[in-house]
Amino acid sequence: MTAIARTPAHCRTALRACGLALAATVLAGCGGEDPDAGTNGVGKLPPEKIQSRTRSAADAAKDVHLAGTVVTGKDTYRLDMRLKAGGASGSVTAKGSAFRLLRVGEKLYLKADADFWKRAGDTSAASKLQGKYVKVPQADAAYKKFIGFTEKDVLMSGLLTLHGKLATAGHHEQGGVRTIRVTGDGGLGGTLDVSLEGTPYPLRLVRAGHAGTLTFSDWGKDFPLAEPDGSQTVDYGSSLPTS
């Protein structure tokens, strides 16, 4: 009978070690895919540069759709606004009342239901004003109160700011788009998700101090903007009530 050759123990140990090393190499190759492959590359940048790039992209874009909440002091505003350099159109909800804002150039119009005007203190004219655009006088307090919601540059410069030390917090997704997340002070200073696809626009912002969450979309997509015609407007006068 022919004897069966046996591999010495030390050789078997060496072969096993080689096999494990090869398996580890294969697994690393399969599971270690570059999360930034095929992206715009901002995910590989330091967080300060990511924030700088996204601010520049937001400033350069002519249009944006902004939606979410903004908390200022004791007031919470829910916004759904389309903004451009020459004006804006959309809705604002505050203190249980919803109203629409329309700005064309320097002209600001407000449209609300009867309940809004009653809460603002004008019960007598509520039925006349409901559903109509009311031109807001520029010298009126209401103009100064609401104009900021319609100014793209003002909103972007005020909102897209993270506080504290910046850091990246992994790859995420917003609306089906891959993002890189930047945090301020470990998240306490806010978080910002930046698109890894195409232009590095900001897509989602969680403001510091629980001051609201906003999403940004339709960057650079134009939308129609025109003053309402006479049948849609009511001349309130020189001073508007505000709630």
Side-chain angles (χ1 to χ4, degrees), residues 92-156:
V92 179
T93 302
K95 298 180 181 178
S97 294
F99 54 93
R100 292 194 63 81
L101 290 176
L102 171 64
R103 180 175 67 84
V104 181
E106 297 300 315
K107 297 176 181 179
L108 178 66
Y109 298 87
L110 185 152
K111 181 167 72 171
D113 60 18
D115 286 340
F116 172 88
W117 294 109
K118 288 177 182 177
R119 291 182 184 183
D122 196 337
T123 304
S124 61
S127 60
K128 176 186 176 184
L129 298 174
Q130 70 171 341
K132 297 287 187 178
Y133 279 105
V134 177
K135 186 176 181 181
V136 184
Q138 291 190 29
D140 192 83
Y143 188 94
K144 298 173 184 177
K145 181 176 182 179
F146 297 132
I147 191 69
F149 292 135
T150 71
E151 296 180 316
K152 173 183 173 291
D153 291 344
V154 173
L155 278 173
M156 292 300 104

Side-chain angles (χ1 to χ4, degrees), residues 146-226:
F146 297 132
I147 191 69
F149 292 135
T150 71
E151 296 180 316
K152 173 183 173 291
D153 291 344
V154 173
L155 278 173
M156 292 300 104
S157 63
L159 293 173
L160 297 180
T161 300
L162 299 177
H163 303 279
K165 185 178 180 179
L166 299 183
T168 53
H171 292 69
H172 299 268
E173 186 178 291
Q174 175 63 34
V177 178
R178 289 178 293 172
T179 66
I180 182 70
R181 181 167 295 171
V182 180
T183 65
D185 197 16
L188 296 177
T191 68
L192 182 65
D193 279 41
V194 178
S195 176
L196 287 174
E197 301 178 18
T199 305
Y201 291 123
L203 298 183
R204 183 175 184 268
L205 170 72
V206 179
R207 302 182 70 207
H210 305 288
T213 300
L214 293 160
T215 60
F216 308 91
S217 59
D218 295 336
W219 285 102
K221 293 185 179 180
D222 195 15
F223 60 94
L225 198 62

